[in-house]
Amino acid sequence: WMQSCLLKVNLRDPGGSTVSTFTGTTTLAINTWYHLAATYDDASDSVKIYVNGKQDGTGTHTSIGNMGGGTT
Protein backbone atom coordinates (compact mmCIF):
# COMPACT_ATOMS: atom_id res chain seq x y z
CA TRP A 1 0.00 0.00 0.00
CA MET A 2 1.12 3.61 -0.29
CA GLN A 3 1.72 5.77 2.73
CA SER A 4 3.39 9.16 2.44
CA CYS A 5 3.85 8.35 -1.28
CA LEU A 6 6.39 5.59 -0.57
CA LEU A 7 5.88 1.92 -1.38
CA LYS A 8 5.42 -0.30 1.69
CA VAL A 9 5.44 -4.11 1.60
CA ASN A 10 4.25 -6.13 4.61
CA LEU A 11 5.11 -9.79 5.14
CA ARG A 12 3.46 -11.93 7.78
CA ASP A 13 4.30 -15.46 8.89
CA PRO A 14 1.67 -18.19 8.40
CA GLY A 15 0.55 -17.88 12.03
CA GLY A 16 0.12 -14.14 11.67
CA SER A 17 2.41 -13.25 14.56
CA THR A 18 5.55 -12.00 12.82
CA VAL A 19 5.13 -8.95 10.62
CA SER A 20 7.93 -7.24 8.74
CA THR A 21 7.45 -3.97 6.87
CA PHE A 22 9.77 -2.86 4.09
CA THR A 23 9.63 0.71 2.79
CA GLY A 24 10.97 2.00 -0.51
CA THR A 25 12.86 5.25 -0.94
CA THR A 26 11.33 6.51 -4.18
CA THR A 27 8.62 9.15 -3.79
CA LEU A 28 5.67 8.02 -5.92
CA ALA A 29 3.54 10.58 -7.73
CA ILE A 30 -0.26 10.46 -7.85
CA ASN A 31 -1.80 9.56 -11.25
CA THR A 32 1.42 7.91 -12.45
CA TRP A 33 1.79 4.24 -13.42
CA TYR A 34 4.59 2.23 -11.79
CA HIS A 35 5.78 -1.35 -12.07
CA LEU A 36 6.12 -2.61 -8.49
CA ALA A 37 7.64 -5.93 -7.47
CA ALA A 38 8.96 -7.73 -4.40
CA THR A 39 11.16 -10.81 -4.13
CA TYR A 40 11.99 -13.14 -1.27
CA ASP A 41 15.11 -15.36 -1.18
CA ASP A 42 14.55 -18.24 1.24
CA ALA A 43 18.24 -19.17 1.42
CA SER A 44 19.27 -15.72 2.70
CA ASP A 45 15.89 -14.59 4.14
CA SER A 46 16.31 -11.43 2.08
CA VAL A 47 13.49 -9.29 0.75
CA LYS A 48 13.95 -6.79 -2.06
CA ILE A 49 11.41 -4.34 -3.40
CA TYR A 50 11.61 -2.75 -6.83
CA VAL A 51 10.07 0.31 -8.48
CA ASN A 52 10.20 0.36 -12.29
CA GLY A 53 12.80 -2.42 -12.30
CA LYS A 54 15.22 -0.67 -9.95
CA GLN A 55 15.90 -1.96 -6.45
CA ASP A 56 14.25 0.43 -4.00
CA GLY A 57 14.51 -1.29 -0.63
CA THR A 58 15.88 -4.39 1.13
CA GLY A 59 15.55 -6.22 4.41
CA THR A 60 15.21 -9.65 6.00
CA HIS A 61 12.22 -11.69 7.10
CA THR A 62 12.99 -15.06 8.70
CA SER A 63 9.54 -16.53 9.16
CA ILE A 64 7.84 -16.96 5.76
CA GLY A 65 7.00 -20.64 6.35
CA ASN A 66 5.25 -22.82 3.79
CA MET A 67 3.83 -20.37 1.23
CA GLY A 68 2.01 -23.09 -0.69
CA GLY A 69 -0.09 -24.22 2.25
CA GLY A 70 0.68 -27.90 1.58
CA THR A 71 3.31 -30.31 2.77
CA THR A 72 6.40 -31.59 1.02
Coordinates of all heavy atoms in Angstrom, one line a residue:
W1 N 0.8 -1.2 0.0 CA 0.0 0.0 0.0 C 0.9 1.2 0.0 O 2.1 1.1 0.3 CB -1.0 0.0 1.2 CG -0.5 0.5 2.5 CD1 -0.5 1.8 2.8 CD2 0.1 -0.2 3.5 NE1 0.0 2.0 4.1 CE2 0.4 0.7 4.6 CE3 0.5 -1.5 3.8 CZ2 1.0 0.4 5.8 CZ3 1.0 -1.8 5.0 CH2 1.3 -0.9 5.9
M2 N 0.3 2.4 -0.3 CA 1.1 3.6 -0.3 C 0.8 4.4 1.0 O -0.3 4.6 1.4 CB 0.8 4.5 -1.5 CG 1.4 3.9 -2.8 SD 1.0 4.9 -4.2 CE 1.5 6.5 -3.8
Q3 N 1.9 4.9 1.6 CA 1.7 5.8 2.7 C 2.8 6.8 2.6 O 4.0 6.5 2.4 CB 1.9 5.0 4.0 CG 1.7 5.9 5.3 CD 1.8 5.1 6.5 OE1 2.2 3.9 6.5 NE2 1.6 5.7 7.6
S4 N 2.4 8.1 2.6 CA 3.4 9.2 2.4 C 4.1 9.1 1.1 O 5.2 9.4 0.9 CB 4.4 9.2 3.5 OG 3.8 9.3 4.8
C5 N 3.4 8.5 0.1 CA 3.8 8.4 -1.3 C 5.1 7.5 -1.4 O 5.9 7.7 -2.3 CB 4.1 9.7 -1.9 SG 2.5 10.7 -2.1
L6 N 5.3 6.6 -0.5 CA 6.4 5.6 -0.6 C 5.8 4.2 -0.6 O 4.8 4.0 0.1 CB 7.3 5.7 0.6 CG 8.1 7.0 0.8 CD1 8.9 7.0 2.1 CD2 9.0 7.3 -0.3
L7 N 6.4 3.3 -1.3 CA 5.9 1.9 -1.4 C 6.2 1.2 -0.1 O 7.3 1.3 0.4 CB 6.5 1.2 -2.5 CG 6.2 -0.3 -2.6 CD1 4.7 -0.5 -2.9 CD2 7.1 -1.0 -3.7
K8 N 5.2 0.5 0.5 CA 5.4 -0.3 1.7 C 5.0 -1.7 1.4 O 3.9 -1.9 0.8 CB 4.6 0.2 2.9 CG 5.2 1.5 3.4 CD 4.6 1.8 4.8 CE 5.3 2.9 5.4 NZ 5.8 2.7 6.7
V9 N 5.8 -2.7 1.8 CA 5.4 -4.1 1.6 C 5.4 -4.7 3.0 O 6.4 -4.6 3.7 CB 6.5 -4.8 0.7 CG1 6.2 -6.3 0.6 CG2 6.5 -4.2 -0.7
N10 N 4.3 -5.4 3.3 CA 4.2 -6.1 4.6 C 4.3 -7.6 4.4 O 3.6 -8.1 3.5 CB 2.9 -5.8 5.3 CG 2.9 -4.4 5.9 OD1 3.9 -3.8 6.2 ND2 1.7 -3.8 5.9
L11 N 5.1 -8.3 5.2 CA 5.1 -9.8 5.1 C 4.7 -10.3 6.5 O 5.2 -9.8 7.5 CB 6.5 -10.3 4.8 CG 7.0 -10.0 3.4 CD1 8.4 -10.5 3.2 CD2 6.0 -10.6 2.3
R12 N 3.9 -11.4 6.5 CA 3.5 -11.9 7.8 C 3.7 -13.4 7.7 O 3.6 -14.1 6.7 CB 2.0 -11.7 7.9 CG 1.3 -12.1 9.2 CD -0.1 -11.7 9.3 NE -0.4 -10.3 9.0 CZ -0.5 -9.4 10.0 NH1 -0.3 -9.8 11.3 NH2 -0.8 -8.2 9.7
D13 N 4.1 -14.0 8.9 CA 4.3 -15.5 8.9 C 2.9 -16.2 8.8 O 1.9 -15.5 9.0 CB 5.1 -15.9 10.1 CG 4.3 -15.7 11.4 OD1 3.3 -15.0 11.5 OD2 4.7 -16.4 12.4
P14 N 2.9 -17.5 8.5 CA 1.7 -18.2 8.4 C 0.8 -18.1 9.6 O -0.4 -18.1 9.5 CB 2.1 -19.6 8.1 CG 3.4 -19.5 7.5 CD 4.1 -18.3 8.2
G15 N 1.3 -18.0 10.8 CA 0.6 -17.9 12.0 C 0.1 -16.5 12.3 O -0.8 -16.2 13.2
G16 N 0.6 -15.5 11.5 CA 0.1 -14.1 11.7 C 0.8 -13.3 12.8 O 0.5 -12.2 13.0
S17 N 1.8 -13.9 13.4 CA 2.4 -13.2 14.6 C 3.6 -12.4 14.2 O 3.9 -11.4 14.9 CB 2.8 -14.3 15.6 OG 3.7 -15.2 15.1
T18 N 4.4 -12.8 13.2 CA 5.6 -12.0 12.8 C 5.3 -11.2 11.6 O 4.9 -11.7 10.5 CB 6.7 -12.9 12.5 OG1 7.0 -13.7 13.7 CG2 8.0 -12.2 12.1
V19 N 5.4 -9.9 11.7 CA 5.1 -9.0 10.6 C 6.4 -8.2 10.4 O 7.0 -7.6 11.3 CB 4.0 -8.0 10.9 CG1 3.8 -7.0 9.8 CG2 2.7 -8.8 11.2
S20 N 6.8 -8.1 9.1 CA 7.9 -7.2 8.7 C 7.4 -6.3 7.7 O 6.7 -6.6 6.8 CB 9.1 -8.1 8.1 OG 9.6 -9.0 9.1
T21 N 7.8 -5.0 7.8 CA 7.5 -4.0 6.9 C 8.7 -3.4 6.2 O 9.7 -3.1 6.9 CB 6.7 -2.8 7.6 OG1 5.5 -3.3 8.2 CG2 6.3 -1.7 6.6
F22 N 8.7 -3.4 4.9 CA 9.8 -2.9 4.1 C 9.3 -1.6 3.3 O 8.2 -1.7 2.7 CB 10.3 -3.9 3.1 CG 10.6 -5.2 3.8 CD1 9.6 -6.2 3.9 CD2 11.8 -5.4 4.4 CE1 9.9 -7.4 4.6 CE2 12.1 -6.6 5.1 CZ 11.1 -7.6 5.2
T23 N 10.0 -0.6 3.4 CA 9.6 0.7 2.8 C 10.6 1.1 1.7 O 11.8 1.1 2.0 CB 9.5 1.8 3.9 OG1 8.7 1.4 4.9 CG2 9.0 3.1 3.3
G24 N 10.1 1.5 0.6 CA 11.0 2.0 -0.5 C 11.4 3.4 -0.2 O 11.0 4.0 0.7
T25 N 12.3 3.9 -1.1 CA 12.9 5.2 -0.9 C 12.4 6.2 -2.0 O 12.6 7.4 -1.9 CB 14.4 5.2 -0.9 OG1 14.8 4.6 -2.2 CG2 14.9 4.4 0.2
T26 N 11.8 5.7 -3.1 CA 11.3 6.5 -4.2 C 10.0 7.1 -3.8 O 9.0 6.5 -3.5 CB 11.2 5.7 -5.5 OG1 12.5 5.1 -5.8 CG2 10.7 6.5 -6.6
T27 N 9.9 8.5 -4.0 CA 8.6 9.2 -3.8 C 7.8 8.9 -5.0 O 8.2 9.2 -6.1 CB 8.8 10.7 -3.6 OG1 9.7 10.8 -2.4 CG2 7.5 11.4 -3.4
L28 N 6.6 8.4 -4.8 CA 5.7 8.0 -5.9 C 4.7 9.2 -6.1 O 4.1 9.7 -5.2 CB 4.9 6.7 -5.6 CG 5.8 5.5 -5.3 CD1 5.0 4.3 -4.9 CD2 6.7 5.2 -6.5
A29 N 4.5 9.5 -7.4 CA 3.5 10.6 -7.7 C 2.1 10.0 -8.0 O 2.0 8.9 -8.5 CB 4.0 11.3 -9.0
I30 N 1.1 10.8 -7.6 CA -0.3 10.5 -7.9 C -0.5 10.5 -9.4 O 0.1 11.3 -10.1 CB -1.2 11.4 -7.1 CG1 -1.0 11.2 -5.6 CG2 -2.6 11.2 -7.5 CD1 -1.7 12.2 -4.7
N31 N -1.4 9.6 -9.8 CA -1.8 9.6 -11.2 C -0.6 9.2 -12.2 O -0.6 9.6 -13.3 CB -2.4 10.9 -11.7 CG -3.7 11.1 -11.0 OD1 -4.5 10.2 -10.7 ND2 -4.0 12.4 -10.6
T32 N 0.3 8.4 -11.7 CA 1.4 7.9 -12.5 C 1.5 6.4 -12.3 O 1.4 5.9 -11.2 CB 2.8 8.5 -11.9 OG1 2.6 9.9 -12.0 CG2 3.9 8.1 -12.8
W33 N 1.7 5.7 -13.4 CA 1.8 4.2 -13.4 C 3.2 3.8 -13.0 O 4.2 4.5 -13.5 CB 1.5 3.7 -14.8 CG 0.0 3.6 -15.1 CD1 -0.7 4.6 -15.7 CD2 -0.9 2.6 -14.8 NE1 -2.0 4.2 -15.8 CE2 -2.1 2.9 -15.3 CE3 -0.7 1.3 -14.1 CZ2 -3.3 2.1 -15.1 CZ3 -1.9 0.5 -14.0 CH2 -3.1 1.0 -14.5
Y34 N 3.3 2.8 -12.2 CA 4.6 2.2 -11.8 C 4.5 0.7 -11.9 O 3.5 0.1 -11.7 CB 4.9 2.6 -10.3 CG 5.1 4.0 -10.1 CD1 4.0 4.8 -9.6 CD2 6.3 4.6 -10.2 CE1 4.2 6.2 -9.4 CE2 6.5 6.0 -10.0 CZ 5.4 6.8 -9.6 OH 5.6 8.1 -9.4
H35 N 5.7 0.1 -12.2 CA 5.8 -1.4 -12.1 C 6.4 -1.6 -10.7 O 7.5 -1.2 -10.4 CB 6.7 -1.9 -13.2 CG 6.8 -3.4 -13.1 ND1 7.9 -4.0 -12.6 CD2 6.0 -4.4 -13.5 CE1 7.8 -5.3 -12.6 NE2 6.6 -5.6 -13.2
L36 N 5.7 -2.3 -9.8 CA 6.1 -2.6 -8.5 C 6.3 -4.1 -8.3 O 5.5 -4.9 -8.8 CB 5.1 -2.1 -7.5 CG 4.7 -0.6 -7.6 CD1 3.5 -0.3 -6.7 CD2 5.8 0.3 -7.4
A37 N 7.4 -4.5 -7.7 CA 7.6 -5.9 -7.5 C 8.4 -6.1 -6.1 O 9.0 -5.2 -5.6 CB 8.5 -6.5 -8.6
A38 N 8.2 -7.3 -5.6 CA 9.0 -7.7 -4.4 C 9.4 -9.2 -4.6 O 8.7 -10.0 -5.2 CB 8.1 -7.6 -3.2
T39 N 10.6 -9.5 -4.1 CA 11.2 -10.8 -4.1 C 11.6 -11.2 -2.7 O 11.9 -10.4 -1.9 CB 12.4 -10.9 -5.1 OG1 13.4 -10.1 -4.5 CG2 12.0 -10.5 -6.5
Y40 N 11.5 -12.6 -2.5 CA 12.0 -13.1 -1.3 C 12.9 -14.3 -1.6 O 12.6 -15.2 -2.4 CB 10.8 -13.7 -0.4 CG 11.2 -14.4 0.8 CD1 11.8 -13.8 1.9 CD2 11.1 -15.8 0.9 CE1 12.2 -14.5 3.0 CE2 11.5 -16.5 2.0 CZ 12.1 -15.8 3.0 OH 12.5 -16.5 4.1
D41 N 14.1 -14.3 -1.0 CA 15.1 -15.4 -1.2 C 15.2 -16.2 0.1 O 15.7 -15.7 1.1 CB 16.5 -14.8 -1.5 CG 17.6 -15.8 -1.7 OD1 17.4 -17.0 -1.3 OD2 18.6 -15.5 -2.3
D42 N 14.6 -17.4 0.1 CA 14.6 -18.2 1.2 C 15.9 -18.6 1.8 O 16.1 -18.7 3.0 CB 13.8 -19.5 0.9 CG 13.5 -20.4 2.1 OD1 13.1 -19.8 3.1 OD2 13.7 -21.6 2.0
A43 N 16.9 -18.8 1.0 CA 18.2 -19.2 1.4 C 18.9 -18.1 2.3 O 19.6 -18.4 3.3 CB 19.1 -19.5 0.2
S44 N 18.7 -16.8 2.0 CA 19.3 -15.7 2.7 C 18.3 -14.9 3.5 O 18.7 -14.0 4.2 CB 20.0 -14.8 1.7 OG 19.1 -14.2 0.9
D45 N 17.0 -15.3 3.5 CA 15.9 -14.6 4.1 C 15.8 -13.1 3.7 O 15.3 -12.3 4.4 CB 16.0 -14.7 5.7 CG 15.9 -16.1 6.2 OD1 15.0 -16.8 5.6 OD2 16.5 -16.4 7.2
S46 N 16.3 -12.8 2.5 CA 16.3 -11.4 2.1 C 15.1 -11.1 1.3 O 14.6 -11.9 0.5 CB 17.6 -11.1 1.3 OG 17.6 -11.8 0.1
V47 N 14.6 -9.9 1.5 CA 13.5 -9.3 0.7 C 14.0 -8.1 0.0 O 14.8 -7.3 0.5 CB 12.4 -8.9 1.7 CG1 11.2 -8.2 1.0 CG2 11.9 -10.1 2.5
K48 N 13.6 -8.0 -1.3 CA 13.9 -6.8 -2.1 C 12.7 -6.3 -2.7 O 11.8 -7.0 -3.1 CB 15.0 -7.1 -3.1 CG 16.3 -7.6 -2.6 CD 17.3 -7.9 -3.7 CE 18.6 -8.5 -3.1 NZ 19.5 -8.9 -4.2
I49 N 12.5 -4.9 -2.7 CA 11.4 -4.3 -3.4 C 12.0 -3.5 -4.5 O 13.0 -2.9 -4.4 CB 10.5 -3.6 -2.5 CG1 11.2 -2.4 -1.7 CG2 9.8 -4.5 -1.5 CD1 10.3 -1.6 -0.9
Y50 N 11.2 -3.4 -5.6 CA 11.6 -2.8 -6.8 C 10.5 -1.8 -7.3 O 9.3 -2.1 -7.2 CB 11.9 -3.8 -7.9 CG 13.0 -4.7 -7.6 CD1 12.7 -5.9 -6.9 CD2 14.3 -4.5 -8.1 CE1 13.7 -6.8 -6.7 CE2 15.3 -5.4 -7.8 CZ 15.0 -6.6 -7.1 OH 16.0 -7.5 -6.8
V51 N 11.0 -0.6 -7.8 CA 10.1 0.3 -8.5 C 10.6 0.5 -9.9 O 11.8 0.9 -10.0 CB 10.0 1.7 -7.7 CG1 9.2 2.7 -8.5 CG2 9.4 1.4 -6.3
N52 N 9.8 0.2 -10.9 CA 10.2 0.4 -12.3 C 11.5 -0.4 -12.6 O 12.4 0.1 -13.3 CB 10.3 1.8 -12.7 CG 9.0 2.5 -12.7 OD1 7.9 1.8 -12.9 ND2 8.9 3.8 -12.5
G53 N 11.6 -1.6 -12.0 CA 12.8 -2.4 -12.3 C 14.1 -2.1 -11.5 O 15.1 -2.8 -11.7
K54 N 14.0 -1.1 -10.7 CA 15.2 -0.7 -9.9 C 15.0 -1.0 -8.5 O 13.9 -0.7 -7.9 CB 15.5 0.8 -10.1 CG 15.9 1.2 -11.5 CD 16.2 2.7 -11.6 CE 16.5 3.0 -13.1 NZ 16.8 4.4 -13.2
Q55 N 16.0 -1.6 -7.9 CA 15.9 -2.0 -6.4 C 15.7 -0.7 -5.6 O 16.3 0.3 -5.8 CB 17.2 -2.7 -6.0 CG 17.0 -3.2 -4.6 CD 18.2 -4.0 -4.2 OE1 18.7 -4.9 -4.9 NE2 18.8 -3.7 -3.0
D56 N 14.7 -0.8 -4.7 CA 14.3 0.4 -4.0 C 14.2 0.2 -2.5 O 14.0 1.1 -1.7 CB 12.9 0.9 -4.5 CG 12.5 2.3 -4.1 OD1 13.3 3.2 -4.4 OD2 11.5 2.5 -3.4
G57 N 14.5 -1.0 -2.0 CA 14.5 -1.3 -0.6 C 14.9 -2.7 -0.4 O 14.7 -3.6 -1.2
T58 N 15.5 -3.0 0.8 CA 15.9 -4.4 1.1 C 15.6 -4.6 2.6 O 15.5 -3.7 3.4 CB 17.4 -4.7 0.8 OG1 18.2 -3.8 1.6 CG2 17.7 -4.5 -0.6
G59 N 15.7 -5.9 3.0 CA 15.6 -6.2 4.4 C 15.6 -7.7 4.5 O 15.8 -8.4 3.6
T60 N 15.3 -8.2 5.8 CA 15.2 -9.6 6.0 C 13.9 -10.0 6.7 O 13.4 -9.2 7.5 CB 16.4 -10.2 6.8 OG1 16.4 -9.5 8.1 CG2 17.7 -10.0 6.1
H61 N 13.4 -11.2 6.4 CA 12.2 -11.7 7.1 C 12.4 -13.2 7.2 O 12.5 -13.9 6.3 CB 11.0 -11.4 6.3 CG 9.7 -11.9 6.9 ND1 9.1 -11.1 8.0 CD2 8.9 -13.0 6.7 CE1 8.0 -11.8 8.3 NE2 7.9 -12.9 7.6
T62 N 12.5 -13.7 8.5 CA 13.0 -15.1 8.7 C 11.9 -16.0 9.0 O 12.1 -17.2 9.3 CB 14.0 -15.1 9.9 OG1 13.3 -14.6 11.0 CG2 15.2 -14.4 9.6
S63 N 10.6 -15.6 8.8 CA 9.5 -16.5 9.2 C 8.4 -16.6 8.1 O 7.3 -16.5 8.4 CB 8.9 -16.0 10.5 OG 8.1 -17.0 11.0
I64 N 8.8 -16.8 6.8 CA 7.8 -17.0 5.8 C 7.0 -18.2 5.9 O 5.8 -18.3 5.7 CB 8.5 -16.9 4.4 CG1 9.1 -15.5 4.1 CG2 7.6 -17.3 3.3 CD1 8.1 -14.4 3.9
G65 N 7.7 -19.4 6.2 CA 7.0 -20.6 6.4 C 6.6 -21.2 5.0 O 7.2 -20.9 4.0
N66 N 5.7 -22.1 5.0 CA 5.2 -22.8 3.8 C 4.2 -22.0 3.0 O 3.1 -21.9 3.4 CB 4.6 -24.2 4.2 CG 4.3 -25.0 2.9 OD1 4.3 -24.5 1.8 ND2 4.0 -26.2 3.2
M67 N 4.7 -21.3 2.0 CA 3.8 -20.4 1.2 C 2.8 -21.1 0.5 O 1.7 -20.6 0.2 CB 4.7 -19.5 0.3 CG 5.7 -18.6 1.0 SD 4.9 -17.3 1.9 CE 4.4 -16.2 0.6
G68 N 3.0 -22.4 0.1 CA 2.0 -23.1 -0.7 C 0.8 -23.7 0.1 O -0.2 -24.1 -0.4
G69 N 1.0 -23.7 1.4 CA -0.1 -24.2 2.2 C -0.2 -25.7 2.3 O -0.9 -26.3 3.1
G70 N 0.7 -26.4 1.6 CA 0.7 -27.9 1.6 C 1.9 -28.4 2.3 O 2.6 -27.7 2.9
T71 N 2.1 -29.7 2.2 CA 3.3 -30.3 2.8 C 4.2 -30.9 1.7 O 3.7 -31.2 0.6 CB 2.9 -31.4 3.7 OG1 2.2 -32.4 3.0 CG2 2.1 -30.9 4.9
T72 N 5.5 -31.0 2.0 CA 6.4 -31.6 1.0 C 7.0 -32.8 1.6 O 7.0 -33.0 2.8 CB 7.5 -30.6 0.6 OG1 8.2 -30.2 1.8 CG2 6.9 -29.4 -0.1

